[in-house]
Amino acid sequence: MPPGSSRPADNLDDDDYPAYTMGRAAEMLGTTAAFLRALGDHRLITPLRSAGGHRRYSRYQLRVAARARELVDQGTPIEAACRIVILEDQLEEARRINEQLRTEARGPQSPAATPT
């Protein structure tokens, strides 16, 4: 079991748990193993390796790969698609952090302290 997981069933809800083989991941995405390897070559996703050295993908990685596939299907070169997805992910993370910082800066507000 991965660190932090107390029961195997806990992995069912873990988006980062490497549950899918390359073949299954390619099948789910409607693509090829070569496409998944190319995403790894362009450092969009880095699958974990099983004890036997086989690539294993998480649900999060499959969502990222699906977004890249959408862009490639629209005619975007794979290198550019990978870069776009990376930048989209970074932008989303920056927005999340900004919102968290804004919330913390406002501090706790009681209903009596809220102006009407």
Side-chain angles (χ1 to χ4, degrees):
M1 271 184 286
S5 178
S6 58
R7 301 174 308 148
D10 292 341
N11 297 329
L12 296 174
D13 295 326
D14 186 353
D15 268 359
D16 296 318
Y17 182 73
Y20 303 98
T21 63
M22 178 179 276
R24 181 69 179 129
E27 179 184 321
M28 290 171 68
L29 295 171
T31 190
T32 63
F35 179 77
L36 291 172
R37 280 191 296 275
L39 295 181
D41 292 344
H42 292 292
R43 299 182 182 182
L44 179 62
I45 55 177
T46 303
L48 292 176
R49 298 283 183 149
S50 69
H54 300 281
R55 290 174 177 89
R56 304 286 292 198
Y57 296 88
S58 68
R59 288 191 310 212
Y60 172 75
Q61 289 172 325
L62 295 184
R63 283 194 302 274
V64 170
R67 176 64 180 129
R69 179 167 184 235
E70 288 174 9
L71 292 167
V72 169
D73 287 350
Q74 294 170 4
T76 306
I78 193 165
E79 301 85 13
C82 289
R83 186 68 182 140
I84 289 167
V85 173
I86 289 168
L87 290 170
E88 287 175 342
D89 197 45
Q90 289 173 344
L91 177 59
E92 183 58 34
E93 178 68 6
R95 286 179 174 160
R96 186 192 63 74
I97 291 168
N98 270 345
E99 184 56 34
Q100 181 181 0
L101 291 172
R102 280 191 200 111
T103 301
E104 290 171 4
R106 280 184 242 145
Q109 295 184 0
S110 66
T114 306
T116 53

